[in-house]
Each structure stands twice: as structure tokens, then as C-alpha cells.
Amino acid sequence: MARYIFVTGGVVSSLGKGLASAALGALLQARGYSVRLRKLDPYLNVDPGTMSPFEHGEVFVTDDGAETDLDLGHYERFTGVAARNTDSVSSGRIYSTVLEKERRGDYLGKTIQVIPHVTNEIKDFLHVGEDEVDFMLCEIGGTVGDIEGLPFFEAIRQFSQDKERGQCIFMHLTLLPYLKASGELKTKPTQHSVKELRSIGLQPDVLVCRSEHEIPEKEREKIALFCNVRPESVIPAYDLKSIYEAPLAYHGVGLDQAVLDAFQIAPAPKPKLERWLDVKDRIDKAEGEIKVAIVGKYTQLEDAYKSIAEALTHGGMANRTRVKAEWIDAEIFEREDPGPWLEGFHAILVPGGFGERGTEGKIRAAEFARTRKIPYLGICLGMQMAVIEAARNVAGLETAGSEEFDHEAGKKRFEPVVYHLKEWVQGNHISRRKVDDDKGGTMRLGAYTANLTPGSKVAQIYGATVIEERHRHRYEVDTKYREQLEKVGLIFSGMSPDGRLPEIVEWKDHPWFIGVQFHPELKSKPFAPHPLFEGFVKAAIEISRLV
């Protein structure tokens, strides 16, 4: 049976619970243990799928089609363990399940209450897959004291009591603020955060303290004394140049040892850290730098494109090159010539998105990359914009556009080169969707197979002709325009197994111009960079040498 590590946060949000959990998972793996990481979010949305990227950052999609919190991306990137639908749950999903059971009569007429019905549902979620791994790391979103988080805290308190002694431990992340005027690190917020945790029946076994300044030994001893933890279990967490230094940094200050000690695992296997030493070496000893322009619509919040930013970093590691990504609002190109903005870049990436805003700017970015022979990677909507650009400017379809924009505007303005996907094959059955369906969970979601054209650029990049990638979209390029577009040089080099859905397009006479309907960034890892990002960065390096 798995041992459970519950990760909570206090004082302020965005302290890095997800990163600390992912790094700890990687360290336990390095010691030979199997791990799985989970996220329990207190918000009332059923999942993040319908939330604005400005609210929540990117939506991370799993192979089995779950739309989840971006922290699951960190978990996958650090451990290589593919996340599943059962690794992410929200209050909304818990309450939905409880209410469905109540409507069916499953509770046999009882009064439905937070305790025990909601907490039992959370505990049932925690039990799933507990016999599959050595350690289950469960991160609770938000901070202790949040009213919406209380059912989760109560559930993990009950869960730890239900388990045998020594099966569960609690790791709490807090902030040690530095007062510049007095030149002091203040421990009081951490003390109050732990006091709040203890008031609901949880005693932390390990305290991780974020700080911009070094934490003196006497301060660690003070925290240990007032928070009732061992001094060696007060772990400092300092800012890092790269998130991929986190496993080595946390190992250096004894986080994994503190956790194993809390479980009374002794002697513990020695960690094998070669993978992370290699990752650090590739970051520290980059041999050059390239500049990539990311032309998107959510550029004010970089978390909206978190996996893309990380996948570019991984592509840089594979080529021992530092990737400097700059975010450019696509709407600018609807008012201004993209030339002066994009002139100094070695590659252009147009990511996914929803809605018409900024799309004409993305089309102009694709045109700039095509005509100037600059490496281009279009992802999801970025592929669709590249196809529309080709249809308008090369194939002579001047009114080419997407049904998505007509649906949004409520009137027909475009020839639909991109159309609303009404049915597709999913496993052994056909999925069907209507334009007016509910928004949540109704897209083509999760992993699907694609067949690549032998001899195409993408087949060379992947070194294969059959691939599997994750999708998240409800609009598709229409294959009835395929012949017209291929005549002018835009090759449909990847298709769904039934030949109905275009997965990849590439320009035949361009050094590196690829559009993909899926999201390759979701499967990239620092120790296993995605081949498309590795190839994209390599192409940008070639361009940088010519400039």
C-alpha cells in the first residue's frame, strides 16, 4: 500500500507547492521508489477547462482526456509519470458526484452533509490506485484558512486517522518574509500558518520555508520550537535560476531525507541523481542563444503558455542552447506591420487559443515566417491560422477563414477552411458534438494516433510514421481543401488513422514550417525533450548562424 504525503500551503498562494511536490517525487524516484502525484483543488469549477487562461493559466490535458491544473504538467515533467483523470479533482467535481448520488437515491433518504458525505467522496478519490505505487503525493490547492478548502483539510485529517500509524505525513509550505527596514526574516506568519493547520487537526511533519534570503540556523531552530517539528525537518527553499535545479537543491537541503525520516524508513536507498546532474549541466553550459517569438493572445500571463515555455527550454537543452522566448500580443499585428517586431527573431511559434481576437495577427505572423523562410511552429489554432494564410495568400481562397469566428460573430463571413468538428472516432466508438453543446469537456480531448507520410519532414523528426499526441480542440481543418492546398506546396503530412482529420501540415519548399493540430508541448520533459521542439530549436540555430 502507498504511503501518503499531503502537501499544503500557508501565508500566501503561489509559493511553489506544485514544484516542491514534483521535485520531491523526482527525488523519491531517484531512490528507487515509484510515485504518483495528485492535485486537489478547492474551486467550484468541475475542472479548469472552461476557465480563462488569465484566471488559471494553461489547462494541462492528460492522455485519457482530463482537463487539469497546470501543476500536473510539473508532475509529469519531473517524474515522467503520465497523469490520469484520477490525479486531479476539484470541489466542483466532488459536489457534482455527491449531488448525482443524492438524486439517484444512493444515500437512502439521509440528510446530505459536508461531513461525512463530501469528505467521504474526497477520501474515495484518495484511495484510487493506492496499491500501484510506493508513494502518493497529494497537493491541496490554495492556502490553509481558505473557507472553500476546509472539506479537503478535514478529509485528509480523517484519511490519515483511518490509515495505519506512519502511513501518512504532512508537508507544509510557508513564506518567511524579509523586512528590509529592520533587516530581519520574520517567522511569525509561519507560526500562525501552522497554528491554523493544527487548529483543524493537522500537525506538519516537514516544513518547507520559502525565502529570498538565507535562513540562519537560529531562525530554523525557532521555527522548529514554535511549530513543533524537528529542526532537521525545517527545509529552506530559495529562489533558483531554473526550476529544473529544484530536485538537486531540495536534496542538498535534505527534503527527501526529512520525508523518509518522517516515515521512519531507514536505511533509505541512496539517490541516483545522474539524470538531474545532466539536466543542470545542459542548463549551465549552454553554448549559444536563440530568440523565439511567441505570437499569442494571452501574453500578459506567461502561465497561460507554461508547457510551451518549458518545452522550448527542453528543446534548448537537447541542443545545448539557451532559448530566449519573447511574448508578443497577436493583436499588435492587426494594426502594425509584423516586420519590425519579428525581424530579430530566429523562429516564430504561434500557440493555441480560442475565439477570433488576435487571429488576423497570427495569420500575418504565419505569412511572415513563410515568406521570410523563418522556422515556424503552429500549435492547434497556430496550425489553423497557417492553413488559412496559405488558402488566402497562395491558393487564391481570399475569404478563407474559420467557422469558429462566424459562430462567434453570429453571421457567415468566411469560406470555412476550418470547420466545427461534429463527429470523430474515439477508441471503439464515434463521439458526436453540436455547436450549442455545453462548453466543458466537449472538445476532442486526450491522446489520439496519427499516421505520418513516409519521407516527410515530420516523419524524419519523429523517426516514426505512427505517433500518439494529446489534443484539445473543437475545430478542424477541412480535408476537402487538401488537394487545392497541396498543389501550392502545403503538404498534409499527418492524418488520423481513418484519413478524415488533418493532424500535421508542412510547407514543402520551406526549411522548417510545421503546423500541428495537437499539443506536443504536453509530452515534453527536460530529460526527454519532445522531438518537434528539439527540431524547432535546431532549425532556429541554423538560421542564427546565417544571420
Side-chain angles (χ1 to χ4, degrees), residues 61 63-65 67 419-435 437-449 469-477 495-503 517:
V61 180
D63 282 335
D64 57 6
E67 294 176 287
Y419 71 103
H420 181 266
L421 184 61
K422 295 172 183 65
E423 66 174 51
W424 66 92
V425 177
Q426 185 170 15
N428 298 322
H429 69 280
I430 293 175
S431 291
R432 291 186 172 88
R433 295 286 182 267
K434 297 194 292 292
V435 174
D437 279 350
D438 288 346
K439 296 292 182 225
T442 58
M443 288 182 271
R444 187 174 178 230
L445 289 164
Y448 288 87
T449 301
E469 293 283 3
R470 296 177 189 173
H471 295 66
R472 183 178 184 251
H473 61 100
R474 55 170 61 90
Y475 290 86
E476 282 274 359
V477 172
M495 299 292 293
S496 61
D498 62 4
R500 293 172 60 191
L501 305 177
E503 296 280 13
Q517 185 57 71

Side-chain angles (χ1 to χ4, degrees), residues 172-194:
H172 191 56
L173 267 81
T174 69
L175 176 70
L176 263 59
Y178 178 78
L179 290 188
K180 197 173 180 182
S182 59
E184 290 179 299
L185 277 174
K186 305 308 288 184
T187 65
K188 192 61 74 177
T190 293
Q191 293 176 44
H192 278 293
S193 183
V194 172

Side-chain angles (χ1 to χ4, degrees), residues 198 219-231 234:
R198 292 170 73 182
E219 298 299 326
R220 288 177 66 181
E221 289 171 0
K222 181 180 177 182
I223 292 166
L225 179 65
F226 284 100
C227 296
N228 195 32
V229 297
R230 295 176 181 276
V234 178

